[in-house]
Amino acid sequence: MTTATYPELRLTQHASGGGCACKVPPGELERVLGGLPTSTHPDLLVGMENGDDAAAVRIDGTRAVIATADFFTPVVDDPYDFGRIAATNALSDVYAMGGTPLVAVNLLAWPRDRIPFDVAAEVLRGGAAVCAEAGTVLGGGHSVDDPEPKYGQAVTGIADADRLLRNDAGRAGLPLTLTKPLGLGVLNNRHKATGERFEEAIAVMTTLNREASLAALAAGVRAATDVTGFGLLGHLYKLARASGVSAVVDSVAVPYVGGARASFAAGYVPGGSRRNLDWVRPHLRSDVADDELVLLADAQTSGGLLVVGEIPGHPVVGELVPAEEWTVRVR
């Protein structure tokens, strides 16, 4: 099947949200997770205490298994591209912790009575293509009949137990590097509203974070996270809070995908981006306008890594500083 088989079909119109912007709002999620018991297993290296990208468990003296799952509703209408984006995003959780993804299984929810199931096959084909590029074995998976289409993967990887990239290991005095431009949420929102296709955004969302992860490890980085549904400000706030430091963002240094600012000015703003800013605002001091803050909080899908350290070829967008009254400062 090709995407031309159903020329009138627009996947984004079959979902109320889109991509990582459809995540549960961070404040609500933390309230729920805060009431759950935490594991005290001695081999659990990274659990859910700080909302890190995945779980990590030591399996012997030097090796750790990394486990994650990620899925969401369509951000683009093309089913093959949707599969590629969702798989790239799922693998990113392993790369964000300095690991190598070994095996993935599909997670598929599909409205069989409204969207032909061979369209779902195209989604799965896109996910398989990304796993092949990453050298990750794709096994089976699980599917359910669901009112809205959703796709992603559960991924298992492996890492050096003593060289994990964590969101609680940031230290004051180190720079912050961002490995992909922002603005994906804004452009995805415009695509859903108008059907316009943004090639640069698709290229960014389907670029593996593998090379960025390897570069971070080679540079001796110990702290990182990926930038997805909670936006740059949300994920940076979590990292700084978990590390016991504050963060400063140089707004003029932050890169954006082409067309993102113009689309924002035209009113294409995901609701999740505003919710992200509302969550961070009590812990934020800013010297810039609110519009700039919303862009910095824009809900990304398959975004880049935010690395505590310098990575050649990528912009430094701020730094960590000793803890002050505000956890995040934007200048």
Side-chain angles (χ1 to χ4, degrees):
M1 191 202 87
T2 68
T3 54
T5 306
Y6 301 98
E8 303 303 318
L9 176 64
R10 295 194 56 207
L11 281 182
T12 57
Q13 304 307 296
H14 290 269
S16 55
C20 290
C22 69
K23 279 186 173 182
V24 173
E28 293 181 31
L29 182 62
E30 288 197 341
R31 283 195 296 273
V32 171
L33 295 180
L36 299 178
T38 57
S39 174
T40 57
H41 195 285
D43 291 325
L44 181 65
L45 301 175
V46 178
M48 64 180 184
E49 291 80 4
N50 295 313
D52 217 323
D53 293 292
V57 178
R58 188 186 299 271
I59 56 174
D60 59 28
T62 59
R63 293 183 301 167
V65 164
I66 299 176
T68 186
D70 211 315
F71 62 95
F72 46 67
T73 52
V75 288
V76 293
D77 292 324
D78 185 288
Y80 180 73
D81 284 341
F82 172 40
R84 293 167 63 217
I85 292 166
T88 304
N89 182 75
L91 294 174
S92 180
D93 285 346
V94 176
Y95 292 131
M97 296 193 69
T100 299
L102 297 181
V103 61
V105 293
N106 290 313
L107 303 173
L108 178 70
W110 205 256
R112 293 168 46 255
D113 59 337
R114 294 192 294 122
I115 306 178
F117 209 58
D118 52 357
V119 177
E122 275 295 281
V123 175
L124 296 172
R125 190 171 71 87
V130 165
C131 285
E133 178 187 353
T136 301
V137 176
L138 180 61
H142 185 69
S143 61
V144 295
D145 198 339
D146 190 88
E148 291 189 340
K150 303 176 183 72
Y151 174 65
Q153 293 177 347
V155 185
T156 302
I158 197 164
D160 185 330
D162 299 318
R163 297 184 65 205
L164 292 174
L165 304 178
R166 307 170 56 118
N167 74 352
D168 63 354
R171 292 190 292 110
L174 293 177
L176 294 166
T177 298
L178 183 64
T179 68
K180 286 186 183 182
L182 302 184
L184 298 168
V186 170
L187 290 174
N188 289 339
N189 188 264
R190 181 167 182 164
H191 173 71
K192 180 174 182 176
T194 68
E196 297 170 82
R197 182 178 170 90
F198 298 97
E199 296 294 346
E200 183 185 352
I202 292 172
V204 169
M205 290 187 287
T206 55
T207 296
L208 294 170
N209 281 325
R210 174 177 54 194
E211 301 308 317
S213 178
L214 291 173
L217 290 172
V221 168
R222 301 304 301 268
T225 185
D226 65 353
V227 179
T228 54
F230 300 151
L232 174 64
L233 292 185
H235 288 284
L236 178 56
Y237 167 61
K238 289 172 63 178
L239 185 152
R241 181 183 62 180
S243 299
V245 297
S246 290
V248 178
V249 177
D250 293 318
S251 58
V252 295
V254 176
Y256 287 88
V257 178
R261 285 188 175 277
S263 297
F264 178 87
Y268 297 102
V269 186
S273 301
R274 297 193 185 280
R275 289 193 296 269
N276 289 340
L277 179 57
D278 289 342
W279 178 57
V280 176
R281 195 185 293 278
H283 317 283
L284 173 71
R285 194 183 89 188
S286 172
D287 301 324
V288 303
D290 252 30
D291 281 359
E292 194 72 22
L293 293 178
V294 176
L295 279 168
L296 291 170
D298 187 40
Q300 304 301 282
T301 295
S302 193
L305 300 186
L306 179 63
V307 176
V308 183
E310 289 197 53
I311 304 298
H314 299 287
V316 171
V317 298
E319 62 180 330
L320 296 184
V321 298
E324 52 187 44
E325 180 181 359
W326 309 103
T327 308
V328 178
R329 182 157 41 103
V330 179
R331 60 190 182 197

